[in-house]
Amino acid sequence: MSQELEMISNLEDLETFIVAAENGGFGLTNVAGIAMATNNKDGRRFVAVLDDKHQLLLSRWVTEEVFQTGQDLVRNGSSRTTH
């Protein structure tokens, strides 16, 4: 898991993360999707940025509350307009 110390703890930060990932804000290329997931080892929740081969490019831990309430945001994308 990358960025161990950075945990997303609210929906606003989750949306900011999604917009940045979709717009190349992390310097990522070949971003194909964003998903919520659970770590098989310890059950912790995270948001993952995936490439077109479903390989992990970047991830951030999320709180259980963000995992439960942010699934529609991840599924449907941000409503923010980008420039």
Side-chain angles (χ1 to χ4, degrees), residues 7-75:
M7 178 177 285
I8 296 173
S9 60
N10 60 66
L11 292 180
E12 183 178 311
D13 288 348
L14 177 62
E15 185 172 28
T16 298
F17 178 82
I18 291 169
V19 169
E22 290 174 342
N23 294 323
F26 297 111
L28 302 173
T29 58
N30 203 24
V31 172
I34 298 175
M36 291 285 215
T38 303
N39 183 313
N40 290 334
K41 184 176 179 180
D42 60 15
R44 290 173 66 186
R45 310 296 194 150
F46 64 97
V47 59
V49 180
L50 307 170
D51 69 10
D52 59 352
K53 294 180 177 135
H54 304 285
Q55 298 296 308
L56 182 66
L57 297 173
L58 180 69
S59 62
R60 293 285 190 278
W61 296 115
V62 297
T63 63
E64 183 64 26
E65 180 181 351
V66 169
F67 182 83
Q68 296 299 329
T69 60
Q71 292 183 27
D72 284 337
L73 180 60
V74 170
R75 185 178 303 114

